[in-house]
Amino acid sequence: MAKTRYEHRCSACDATTPRWEGRCPNCGEWNSLVEQVVADVRGAAPAANSDAVQLASIDPSAGNARPTGVSEFDRTLSGGLVPGSVTLIGGEPGIGKSTLLLQVASALSRTDRRVLIASAEESAEQISRRAQRLGVAANAITICTSSSLAEVLAVVASVKPELLIVDSIQTIADPEISGSAGSVSQVRECAAQLVSYAKTSGVAVVLIGHVTKEGSLAGPRLLEHLVDTVCSFEGDRHHALRVLSVVKHRFGPAGELGVFEMTAEGLKGVADPSALFLADRQPGVAGSVVVPILEGHRALLVELQTLVTPAVFGTPRRSAEGVAAGRLALILAVLEQRVGVLAGSLDVFASVVGGVHIQEPGADLALGLALASAVTGVPIDPLTVASGEVGLAGEVRQVVHSERRLQEAARRGFRRAIVPMTGPEAPNGIELIRVATLAEAVQALGLRTRERAS
Ligand code: TYD
Ligand code: MG
């Protein structure tokens, strides 16, 4: 056996260093270096398990996604799970990952498609109790609570399921590899073995992975390049809303979104997310505006809220939840330099209601207007939406699929939309206010701009 050599690998950025250090020299993350074995302790040469084949001889339909029957889950994955694929579902503990996958297993089981749940995290009784509470169809579900990868693979070989769910990748270990379950080397190696198993057997595999708020735990981050699909299951543990989004997808577009509500009977798909996102809205409060955003193929209406208060200490705070911090800084700079709305000495808080993360520039205009409204204290008319990208010169630019966004706004009863000069006609029931600049939009809404501070 080769002599064992160690290195230290960063669980955040995957860089390696020969020595342990408190801070990763590559990405600067603290306490992220984890010791792992470099030498191949198993010493086995890789087996040649795939021969070269003619591309034309492969049946492309074999790789088609198969619906599971949980419609929001299938929508997010553009149709369902692909045989032989590996999907990683990451999320904070307690968010509902095990519940979601038990419901997926149940839906498959209803049509007699076999599912194996390898759960080292919970006992079979716990799972059975939850299954009973959820009214799960369990006739085709097998549970294996071993934490040994070899044992799990042995059970898989005898059960021959269509889907293997591993809950979670951090609690499973291969005794031939050093380190306890959850260490970087175990997580990586177990996942690699499961990936190669999925590819050779055609079994769809779903790996559940825990991430902490900082996303720093060994696991999901390390595996992104190994697996075919990476989903993130998010939401506020204290609120019922859960959003499943696709970060990476080899079989369809990323950016699709499934919306669920956690109820006493498990997760329920939300067919009309805009209604839910806007449900508890307080109209007539300064600093808030509704923005139509595009998530995958769907337009959704979400409320963007901002609040400003005089900064107490030195540097004013900038807090952004659901919008990129860089975007917030840019819009504040444009407001100050091009519009004359000054927030330089104010603490600024911006947040998107419902735990949604806006990842496109289409919400710039809305963010600018919400901030102008917060600074001036003038509320924005509650039946108005705003959609457009803002450039550094303060100009408002067109965004993709404006039509779809405006239609969603019209469907939800909105009356007015602030949009760029170019772009599609208004759908029925919506009056368009076309603006060339953020300053024009601020004026059009009567958000009086203050004189520049002297
Ligand atoms: P769980 O699926 O165990 O989370 P994870 O696997 O991501 O750690 O879900 C945990 C939470 O979900 C738990 O706090 C209770 C809540 N829950 C419900 O509200 N309703 C339900 O029907 C179920 C099964 C769970
Ligand atoms: Mg769980």
Side-chain angles (χ1 to χ4, degrees), residues 285-289 304-309 317-320 323-336 339 341-343 346-351 363-378 380 438 442 445 447-450:
V285 176
S288 145
V289 68
L304 223 161
Q305 291 184 325
T306 59
L307 180 68
V308 296
T309 59
R317 259 189 89 178
R318 302 282 182 253
S319 158
V323 288
R327 226 58 215 173
L328 176 62
L330 184 147
I331 300 296
L332 283 170
V334 171
L335 279 173
E336 170 131 2
V339 189
V341 171
L342 305 178
L346 301 171
D347 283 345
V348 177
F349 303 87
S351 119
D364 284 358
L365 179 60
L367 184 57
L369 289 173
L371 286 165
S373 161
V375 171
T376 56
V378 179
I380 294 170
L438 179 56
V442 164
L445 285 180
L447 311 172
R448 261 181 316 107
T449 59
R450 289 177 182 170

Side-chain angles (χ1 to χ4, degrees), residues 173-404:
D174 180 344
E176 288 190 52
I177 301 165
S178 78
S180 52
S183 66
V184 173
S185 48
Q186 283 288 3
V187 167
R188 185 200 308 268
E189 187 57 31
C190 289
Q193 289 188 40
L194 285 162
V195 168
S196 82
Y197 176 78
K199 302 287 166 225
T200 49
S201 66
V203 172
V205 174
V206 172
L207 306 177
I208 293 179
H210 291 297
V211 271
T212 58
K213 259 219 156 22
E214 302 79 41
S216 65
L217 204 71
R221 286 283 183 85
L222 285 172
L223 302 181
E224 283 183 6
H225 62 281
L226 267 181
V227 300
D228 299 304
T229 304
V230 179
C231 294
S232 163
F233 200 38
E234 285 173 73
D236 192 329
R237 215 187 317 179
H238 307 291
H239 289 95
L241 201 68
R242 301 286 181 274
V243 177
L244 182 70
S245 53
V246 175
V247 182
K248 161 186 168 176
H249 198 21
R250 282 195 180 137
F251 312 108
E256 282 295 347
L257 195 90
V259 182
F260 299 88
E261 198 175 2
M262 181 62 98
T263 70
E265 289 83 44
L267 291 156
K268 294 249 149 55
V270 176
D272 186 0
S274 296
L276 193 71
F277 289 135
L278 299 179
D280 298 322
R281 194 168 160 239
Q282 286 287 327
V285 176
S288 145
V289 68
V290 171
V291 54
I293 59 167
L294 211 63
E295 291 284 358
H297 286 103
R298 270 198 296 193
L300 296 178
L301 297 178
V302 292
E303 185 186 359
L304 223 161
Q305 291 184 325
T306 59
L307 180 68
V308 296
T309 59
V312 184
F313 299 111
T315 318
R317 259 189 89 178
R318 302 282 182 253
S319 158
E321 261 184 64
V323 288
R327 226 58 215 173
L328 176 62
L330 184 147
I331 300 296
L332 283 170
V334 171
L335 279 173
E336 170 131 2
Q337 293 298 323
R338 313 282 183 206
V339 189
V341 171
L342 305 178
S345 61
L346 301 171
D347 283 345
V348 177
F349 303 87
S351 119
V352 181
V353 178
V356 178
H357 291 260
I358 301 183
Q359 275 151 353
E360 47 150 355
D364 284 358
L365 179 60
L367 184 57
L369 289 173
L371 286 165
S373 161
V375 171
T376 56
V378 179
I380 294 170
D381 166 52
L383 294 181
T384 298
V385 297
S387 175
E389 179 178 350
V390 173
L392 289 181
E395 80 279 17
V396 176
R397 296 163 178 269
Q398 196 49 249
V399 292
V400 292
H401 298 303
S402 284
E403 238 160 339
R404 215 179 286 166

